[in-house]
Amino acid sequence: MSLHKARIKAFQDVLEQDVIDIVQLQRLAFNGIPDEKGLRSIVWKILLHYVPHEKNTREATLQKKRQLYQQFIDEIIVTPGGPTDHPLNISPDSSWSTYFKDNEVLLQIDKDVRRLCPEISFFQSATEFPCEKVVNSNGMKRLHKRVEQSMLTYATLERRGLGVSKLSSEIRRSDSVSSGDYAPLNEGCEAHWEVVERMLFLYAKLNPGQSYVQGMNEIIGPIYHTFAIDADKENRQHAEADCFFCFTNLMAEIRDFFIRTLDETESGINYMMGKLSHCLRKNDADVWGRLEAQELRPQYYSFRWLTLLLSQEFSLPDVERIWDSLFADDNRFSFLIYICCAMILLVRDNLLSGDFASNVKLLQNFPPMDVSLILNKAVEISNV
Amino acid sequence: MAKKTYDLLFKLLLIGDSGVGKTCILFRFSDNHFTTTFISTIGIDFKIKTVELRGKKIKLQIWDTAGQERFHTITTSYYRGAMGIMLVYDITNEKTFDDIVKWLRNIDEHANEDVEKMILGNKCDMEEKRVVSKERGEAIAREHGIRFMETSAKANINIDRAFSELAEAILDKTSGREADADHARIAVERRPSRAPPARACCS
Ligand SMILES: Nc1nc2c(ncn2[C@@H]2O[C@H](COP(=O)(O)OP(=O)(O)OP(=O)(O)O)[C@@H](O)[C@H]2O)c(=O)[nH]1
Ligand SMILES: [Mg+2]
């Protein structure tokens, strides 16, 4: 049996256990999950605490969650017939004002999902499993349509002389949706980016304190991609629901990175950047000193690295490989720090000879590199 | 000491709401190219371009910031060292124009008092979708005593001009300051905030 086949077998054996030996699964996943047989998909679901360790409860849990997700769609997207009270009702909780606020969030999501992973065609292609209630609604329930729709409603109002300038400016807010290749598909079809848009909107609605922050699209993207190309048809069919909950669980761990008021707290992004700086100093005082001397602050590069779990620094397959290790590590975000530190160490010679500008550029556009090199280095650092 | 490849170094900053086209403007300027598929900027991005003005080689160090509110703590920390700020709105989007006032307030709070500013109304290739007239753009610029231009990153309208005018305005202020690269850099990075015209240290 080839090494590769043996690895697949090892994963399958663990997954067959009545109660998964999570330590063993973590150990396997840490070294990378094979792309075949939907392994990454199921293992991520377990590591992200979505699928239970007990084999006999798995089916029921999935079923329950998937139903719950349908309910979210019904309640938040399908049923609302649009605002009911008068558009000029200015009370802050009038349904129109909620509608406006939602549309603003939607607009930001819309802009971002259309810019998701442009280097691959996946997100622009049609999903096999569109949300029937949405795609067969004459466009009425499509989120991006809804933004356009509300513009029309208001344009009409304005023409009838009801509009006040405040309202007319609200309409225009939503006017610059660019389409390009990320054009919506026809009735009955739905592109993957539309699915991502729906998940992010539901997340924003269900987590009003946090709503949507740019970058969340980059977190949900790789998860959804992994689930949507699962080898198993039924899993693919429920990729959206499964992804929604896994994303929610992952966000529970990293959401503080996305909240400005928490920047300075122990779970916030500044603290993480400080940890990285500390780690670098400990492992390579020369490079650390060089960057300090150049006043090349960690925010210049590591803010994005850490907030997005490196998803913008590497190609999608490499991101997925890195996330195998991240999700497998109990101490998830310590390992993230080690990876980031490893990245810097691997270009240390360039950094030591480069000036400020070329160093910022190098770190902001990290050169393509075999990820296993980076991960091995990270492990090495974690052991000192 | 390494051979100088430029005479002066100017640090510029691009700010404005998300989606107005800051990254596209910068990309057009630095790489003379336009693509519709930029990922949204998270945090801050950086580009360098050297231009020649009045016989001087000027290295522009340009920071492209993220527009969304969440990133403001990160991005405002860059205001301080900036010598020029381009404030961008989208002529097809009213809100981005309304927010200009908010951005100007940000500049007042966080940037050096003598920073050169310029307002850009971007996407002027989309005439059919225009909702902010050029006159309104000019008016707000006049009101605040700031330079103004309509641009299109897509159709390459006024992009180079905007950067050279801003650079020229900074050059006017700095003239007299002499050309030591490292010296210039330190002056840029360490210029104290709110200090009255900080020229003294360099002349
Ligand atoms: N028609 C037209 N579209 C433009 C122009 N400049 C930018 N765009 C489009 O506007 C969208 C947003 O552009 P970006 O440059 O990414 O916007 P940004 O201001 O950097 O946004 P953030 O990074 O989110 O703050 C892109 O999809 C571009 O295609 C322009 O001059 N004309
Ligand atoms: Mg940008």
Side-chain angles (χ1 to χ4, degrees), chain A residues 115, chain B residues 22-24 39-41 64-66:
Chain A
R115 293 189 279 185
Chain B
K22 299 178 295 293
T23 303
C24 289
I39 41 190
S40 46
T41 309
D64 172 22
T65 63

Side-chain angles (χ1 to χ4, degrees), chain B residues 3 24 60 62 98-99 101 106 112 138 140 162 164 185 202:
Chain B
K3 195 163 164 275
C24 289
L60 302 178
I62 311 165
D98 293 346
D99 283 347
V101 183
N106 258 331
N112 293 335
E138 286 166 346
I140 196 165
S164 14
R185 201 183 82 75
C202 317

Side-chain angles (χ1 to χ4, degrees), chain B residues 12-199:
Chain B
L12 311 180
L13 197 64
L14 279 160
I15 60 175
D17 282 3
S18 172
V20 297
K22 299 178 295 293
T23 303
C24 289
I25 289 175
L26 183 52
F27 195 61
R28 166 63 79 185
F29 178 62
S30 65
D31 296 71
N32 195 19
H33 192 66
F34 178 81
T35 135
T36 50
T37 49
F38 270 116
I39 41 190
S40 46
T41 309
I42 305 296
I44 186 138
D45 267 331
F46 174 84
K47 288 235 189 258
I48 286 272
K49 182 162 170 163
T50 305
V51 295
E52 218 174 299
L53 277 183
R54 301 191 200 133
K56 281 200 163 62
K57 272 209 170 57
I58 298 179
K59 187 159 166 174
L60 302 178
Q61 194 184 87
I62 311 165
W63 297 87
D64 172 22
T65 63
Q68 210 190 6
E69 191 88 24
R70 189 267 168 267
F71 304 107
H72 288 185
T73 19
I74 290 290
T75 53
T76 48
S77 62
Y78 298 82
Y79 285 38
R80 190 118 296 160
M83 303 163 85
I85 295 183
M86 281 183 170
L87 208 180
V88 188
Y89 71 91
D90 171 355
I91 67 149
T92 71
N93 185 319
E94 179 81 29
K95 168 146 196 302
T96 66
F97 181 72
D98 293 346
D99 283 347
I100 287 283
V101 183
K102 202 186 72 193
W103 288 107
L104 284 169
R105 220 169 22 234
N106 258 331
I107 297 178
D108 281 345
E109 272 169 39
H110 300 283
N112 293 335
E113 224 161 318
D114 62 341
V115 67
E116 278 299 326
K117 287 165 273 190
M118 178 179 265
I119 295 179
L120 300 182
N122 190 41
K123 307 197 187 179
C124 72
D125 56 284
M126 293 215 277
E127 202 46 65
E128 73 291 350
K129 289 210 164 174
R130 175 194 287 275
V131 293
V132 181
S133 70
K134 192 171 177 185
E135 288 70 33
R136 288 173 68 202
E138 286 166 346
I140 196 165
R142 207 175 317 116
E143 191 186 318
H144 292 89
I146 305 174
R147 260 163 260 270
F148 170 77
M149 228 177 262
E150 283 199 343
T151 57
S152 166
K154 187 174 183 182
N156 197 8
I157 300 170
N158 279 342
I159 300 293
D160 283 352
R161 223 187 106 203
F163 282 97
S164 14
E165 274 200 21
L166 187 63
E168 212 150 339
I170 299 171
L171 185 61
D172 283 340
K173 279 191 179 168
T174 26
S175 56
R177 187 195 294 204
E178 250 337 278
D180 180 278
D182 288 322
H183 191 176
R185 201 183 82 75
I186 287 161
V188 175
E189 303 272 322
R190 295 237 176 93
R191 219 154 77 196
S193 63
R194 306 250 168 243
R199 306 276 165 274

